[in-house]
Amino acid sequence: LSVYNIGGIVRIIENGKITTVGTHAVHLQAEDSLVTFYDSSRKLLAVYYKGKIHMLEDVLAGRNVVLFTSGDNMVAWVSSTTRDLKVFYKGKTLILEPFLSGGKFLAGKDILAWVNQSDMKFSVFYGGDVYQAEEFPPESWLPGDGIVAYVDNTGSFKVFENGRTTDISSFPPDFYEVRNRMVIYGEQGYFKVWYNSRSYTLETRIPDKWEADWNTSMYRDLNRNVKVFSRGETRVLTYDLAEEIHLYRDVVVVN
């Protein structure tokens, strides 16, 4: 699937077929398996999914732009008429709860996490069910593929996956990023990754440059060797001085 926008006209190419999905689309998000767009002229929010266009929200004249975010295979938005938080997932639209302005929601693949201003609780939609992950809003959170990493209100570093919450550490990380099902993070100067429900220490220092995608993380160690972490194993890819290194999903390219 690929998508392009020329003068507000959005076209999608999928399986050799070109589909025009909107005009004057001022807000556009293209993800792995769907394209979400807000059409300013017709005041509507729609999504292209599996060859079909699904109408999500028909905004009344004078209403504000619909707040929405999309992940690889889902779209979440706040209805401008009912103020409900809704999600489009696997071809169906579900109403999660009434949502007050000032809240925040982020979508990944198969997962949605949010904090509602009404009760300030941290909630997660996963596998068709809604879980209350925390009583209080976290300091930050990032979703991935069926996983959400976050720092709670006490500073503890946690991850929500497979319907349950696991503590990674009792203190906040130096940094953290979520790439698909991996959580790349720094812990007191150590370079680590959370993958498949466990933590791996990759290096005793944080690399100047690293990349991660799908099931693979790639970086240079202290000796400038190119190392690869993939599916739970770390190996040296090359001891030669690499001019350029790139990662495309699980494919590592070294020059």
Side-chain angles (χ1 to χ4, degrees), residues 121-124 130-136 150 158 160 165:
K121 295 179 180 180
F122 185 49
S123 303
V124 177
V130 176
Y131 299 82
Q132 183 179 306
E134 298 288 340
E135 286 284 345
F136 300 98
Y150 64 96
K158 299 180 179 181
F160 177 93
T165 299

Side-chain angles (χ1 to χ4, degrees), residues 56-147:
L56 301 181
E57 188 83 7
D58 190 356
V59 185
L60 299 175
R63 296 277 186 175
N64 294 328
V65 175
V66 177
L67 298 175
F68 74 92
T69 184
S70 57
D72 279 354
N73 61 352
M74 66 166 55
V75 183
W77 75 99
V78 177
S79 171
S80 62
T81 54
T82 64
R83 306 308 301 172
D84 290 330
L85 177 63
K86 299 181 178 181
V87 62
F88 176 86
Y89 180 56
K90 293 184 176 180
K92 297 181 179 180
T93 297
L94 304 173
I95 299 175
L96 299 181
E97 63 180 22
F99 201 77
L100 298 182
S101 61
K104 179 182 177 182
F105 53 98
L106 295 174
K109 182 179 181 181
D110 298 319
I111 201 162
L112 171 72
W114 73 92
V115 171
N116 199 338
Q117 286 288 85
S118 61
D119 56 14
M120 299 302 291
K121 295 179 180 180
F122 185 49
S123 303
V124 177
F125 171 81
Y126 171 73
D129 297 320
V130 176
Y131 299 82
Q132 183 179 306
E134 298 288 340
E135 286 284 345
F136 300 98
E139 295 180 3
S140 63
W141 76 88
L142 292 173
D145 292 358
I147 187 172

Side-chain angles (χ1 to χ4, degrees), residues 204-216:
T204 57
R205 61 176 291 276
I206 298 173
D208 296 332
K209 179 183 178 182
W210 59 268
E211 294 184 34
D213 201 6
W214 278 25
N215 304 286
T216 304

